């Protein structure tokens, strides 16, 4: 089956018969790079799409969250950028950066963590909840002998650290750094010294201290004709260096950013919050995830859809068992497996959506002229599967539910599927 060349199919929707919906029962999850912009250049269809999504007062007609794997700025800055590009008011509460789910990892917030990436790292780290972040530059200044690749940056005068840093309890990878050689070296030092990088390496420290990573994109698209390296490429380097030195696998405490399930779970939480604030009484049942990258946007949306289906199936099984018990036909006990949840699920309200539908646009990473080999066994290679090593390759997960030319066509298609009209000129609430 050639999953790259699927035609645009709207599909039959029973709700297309009858009166248009008055309140939305669906929400939008928009990727940014390749869907709304290429680098700093807006994609023409984006502004037209968002004119359909707001009323004359500038209020959104449906819940909207921008889910980006970028992590080099605060949410407010990204919201301001989007407001300027799209010509509609965007709140920071509608923006989800790759690092936003770190707010749920409260057990690390009071620990000393090393942060890697670029942009206002300390501000970002403190914004998501960390009280004691340390940057790579701070580490390098304390231990200048650790950074030796660039001859011009080697210390001219050798000296002992004036101030000893506290033990580093975790490493947080926000995004791709500028000086990869420095970040790779110092992160490895921290992992091999159990958080004391000034000490000699001790490979016996395994498993190593926790590593939390945001944004697994191997590549992303900007103004260049071909995709550019992303944070996922940096992670490939780190993982392989660690394994080459130790013979063991680098392990992650958490992987977030698309296609991680916890990212979509957090995004759904933001969608529900918007609906509650607007006093929309009907529950949001369907999420539409619009993106340009098969290995992150489409894979992630389809993976979350599988999660929702499994969760609803478990709920159904539990309800049937309890109904049987109520009728006197059996025990009310539920197996432990039915109660198992991901650790991050306890931080947010349980998911209420029933499906997450993936919509692929052709304005970014995706090339509609590229096909996967018909024999999927030949497809399971690094050259085809650009996803992270900890996510399995499944051809079904990179097959979009819908393929459209651009984001404006995506909005029009979804309104049609949901029997929802954008002519809401008289509606202000």
């Amino acid at each position: 089956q050639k999953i790259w060349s699927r035609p645009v199919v709207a599909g039959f929707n029973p709700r297309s018969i009858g009166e248009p919906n008055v309140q939305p029962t669906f929400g939008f999850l928009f990727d940014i790079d390749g869907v709304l912009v290429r680098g700093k250049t807006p994609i023409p269809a984006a502004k037209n799409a968002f004119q359909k999504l707001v009323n004359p007062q500038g209020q959104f007609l449906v819940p909207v969250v921008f889910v980006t794997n970028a992590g080099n700025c605060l949410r407010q800055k990204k919201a301001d950028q989007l407001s300027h590009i799209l010509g509609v008011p965007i709140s920071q509460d509608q923006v989800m950066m790759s690092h936003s789910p770190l707010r749920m990892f409260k057990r690390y917030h009071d620990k000393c963590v090393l942060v890697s990436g670029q942009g206002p790292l300390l501000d970002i780290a403190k914004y998501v909840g960390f009280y004691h972040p340390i940057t790579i530059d701070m580490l390098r200044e304390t231990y200048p002998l650790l950074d030796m690749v660039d001859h011009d940056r080697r210390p001219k005068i050798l000296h002992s650290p004036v101030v000893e840093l506290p033990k580093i309890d975790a490493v947080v990878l926000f995004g791709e750094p500028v000086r990869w050689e420095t970040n790779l070296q110092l992160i490895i030092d921290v992992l091999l010294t159990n958080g004391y990088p000034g000490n000699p390496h001790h490979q016996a420290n395994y498993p190593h201290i926790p590593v939390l990573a945001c944004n697994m994109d191997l590549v992303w698209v900007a103004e260049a004709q071909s995709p550019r390296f992303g944070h996922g490429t940096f992670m490939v380097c780190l993982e392989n260096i660690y394994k080459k030195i130790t013979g063991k696998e680098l392990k992650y405490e958490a992987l977030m950013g698309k296609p991680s399930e916890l990212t979509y779970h957090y995004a759904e939480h933001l969608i529900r919050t918007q609906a509650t604030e607007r006093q929309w009484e009907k529950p949001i049942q369907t999420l539409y995830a619009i993106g340009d990258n098969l290995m992150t946007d489409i894979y992630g949306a389809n993976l979350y859809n599988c999660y929702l289906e499994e969760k609803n199936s478990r709920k159904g099984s539990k309800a049937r068992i309890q109904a049987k018990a109520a009728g006197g036909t059996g025990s009310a006990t539920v197996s432990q497996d039915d109660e198992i949840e991901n650790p991050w699920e306890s931080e947010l309200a349980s998911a209420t959506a029933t499906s997450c539908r993936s919509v692929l646009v052709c304005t970014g990473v995706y090339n509609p002229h590229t096909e996967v080999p018909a024999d999927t066994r030949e497809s399971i290679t690094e050259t085809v599967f650009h996803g992270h090593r900890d996510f399995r390759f499944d051809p079904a997960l990179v097959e979009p539910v819908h393929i459209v030319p651009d984001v404006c066509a995506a909005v029009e298609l979804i309104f049609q599927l949901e029997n929802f009209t954008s002519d809401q000129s008289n509606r202000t609430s």
Side-chain angles (χ1 to χ4, degrees):
Q1 183 184 16
K2 298 181 179 179
I3 61 177
W4 252 247
S5 55
R6 183 174 178 173
V8 181
V9 179
F12 174 73
N13 188 332
R15 281 181 286 183
S16 63
I17 301 174
E19 294 298 320
N21 291 326
V22 177
Q23 287 190 356
T25 57
F26 62 100
F28 286 90
L29 305 179
F30 287 102
D31 180 40
I32 297 176
D33 292 305
V35 175
L36 308 178
V37 297
R38 287 183 67 108
K40 294 182 179 180
T41 305
I43 291 172
K47 186 170 276 191
N48 292 335
F50 277 80
Q51 292 303 316
K52 301 177 185 295
L53 289 170
V54 297
N55 64 16
Q57 291 74 36
Q59 294 176 307
F60 277 88
L61 303 171
V62 294
V64 167
V65 171
F66 300 89
V67 186
T68 176
N69 271 355
N72 60 348
C73 68
L74 294 169
R75 295 166 76 193
Q76 186 60 60
K77 182 177 180 180
K78 185 62 70 174
D80 293 341
Q81 292 172 350
L82 289 169
S83 297
H84 176 72
I85 290 168
L86 301 174
V88 297
I90 306 296
S91 161
Q92 70 167 355
D93 295 330
Q94 293 177 282
V95 175
M96 182 172 170
M97 310 296 290
S98 62
H99 49 67
S100 294
L102 284 169
R103 288 176 172 272
M104 295 189 287
F105 291 84
K106 296 176 183 177
R107 62 187 178 278
Y108 295 108
H109 287 176
D110 62 350
K111 298 182 183 297
C112 179
V113 299
L114 176 68
V115 295
S116 169
Q118 55 184 297
L121 286 174
L122 291 179
D123 291 338
I124 294 170
K126 291 176 180 177
Y127 181 77
V128 296
F130 295 107
Y131 295 108
H132 309 291
I134 293 175
T135 65
I136 294 288
D137 285 341
M138 293 166 64
L139 192 61
R140 180 180 173 275
E141 289 171 6
T142 305
Y143 303 107
L145 294 178
L146 298 183
D147 186 20
M148 301 296 284
V149 172
D150 187 342
H151 289 224
D152 293 334
R153 298 218 310 170
R154 289 180 178 178
K156 303 298 186 290
I157 301 173
L158 303 181
H159 60 82
S160 299
V162 177
V163 179
E164 291 285 347
L165 293 176
K167 178 184 183 296
I168 295 170
D169 295 308
V171 177
V172 180
L173 307 177
F174 279 117
E176 62 271 18
V178 175
R179 285 185 166 270
W180 287 30
E181 80 284 356
T182 298
N183 285 257
L184 290 168
Q185 176 68 77
L186 270 62
I187 292 170
I188 292 292
D189 288 331
V190 168
L191 296 179
L192 294 184
T193 60
N194 200 36
Y196 294 100
N199 292 352
H201 288 179
H202 293 289
Q203 296 183 24
N205 293 319
Y206 192 84
H208 50 72
I209 63 174
V211 179
L212 298 90
C214 313
N215 179 357
M216 297 164 277
D217 286 355
L218 188 76
V219 294
W220 67 290
V221 68
E223 288 92 345
Q225 293 298 309
S226 300
R228 304 292 85 199
F229 289 161
H231 189 219
T233 306
F234 176 81
M235 292 168 63
V236 168
C237 296
L238 181 65
E239 293 156 10
N240 282 279
I241 292 170
Y242 184 85
K243 186 170 185 179
K244 192 71 173 178
I245 291 174
T246 67
K248 298 172 181 174
E249 295 286 351
L250 179 72
K251 294 184 178 294
Y252 294 96
E253 181 75 5
L255 290 167
M256 62 204 75
K258 297 172 289 187
S260 170
E261 290 174 38
L262 74 87
T263 287
Y264 288 85
H265 189 74
Y266 195 85
E268 186 190 343
H269 163 71
L270 296 180
I271 288 282
R272 287 199 310 268
T273 300
Q274 286 181 42
T276 300
E277 289 174 351
R278 295 293 297 278
Q279 298 182 334
W280 287 327
E281 296 177 357
K282 293 183 178 180
I284 302 301
Q285 297 178 329
T286 308
L287 302 175
Y288 289 94
I290 302 170
D292 70 304
N293 191 328
L294 288 163
M295 300 300 174
T296 54
D297 304 313
I298 303 307
Y299 185 109
N302 291 340
L303 187 65
Y304 191 60
N305 188 64
C306 292
Y307 162 80
L308 292 174
E309 289 180 346
E310 291 171 4
K311 190 172 185 66
N312 290 326
S313 175
R314 291 200 304 270
K315 284 182 180 177
S317 297
K318 184 176 178 180
R320 285 192 294 273
I321 291 171
Q322 291 174 337
K324 270 188 175 183
T329 57
S331 170
T333 58
V334 179
S335 72
Q336 188 176 3
D337 290 341
D338 291 327
E339 298 296 330
I340 292 175
E341 292 185 337
N342 293 310
W344 40 266
E345 286 181 308
S346 61
E347 294 290 337
L348 300 173
S350 181
T352 58
T354 57
S355 65
C356 183
R357 300 171 70 85
S358 55
V359 182
L360 180 68
V361 298
C362 303
T363 50
V365 169
Y366 172 69
N367 181 351
H369 303 295
T370 302
E371 295 181 350
V372 167
D375 185 350
T376 55
R377 289 173 298 180
E378 297 178 5
S379 305
I380 308 176
T381 67
E382 193 65 25
T383 57
V384 172
F385 181 53
H386 289 173
H388 189 264
R389 56 147 214 219
D390 291 354
F391 289 78
R392 75 184 190 278
F393 177 78
D394 181 344
L397 291 178
V398 291
E399 182 173 1
V401 177
H402 305 288
I403 303 176
V404 292
D406 54 44
V407 66
C408 189
V411 170
E412 291 174 349
L413 171 62
I414 292 164
F415 277 0
Q416 178 186 347
L417 292 173
E418 293 290 333
N419 195 27
F420 190 88
T421 175
S422 61
D423 182 15
Q424 310 286 338
S425 58
N426 295 322
R427 188 183 308 165
T428 59
S429 60

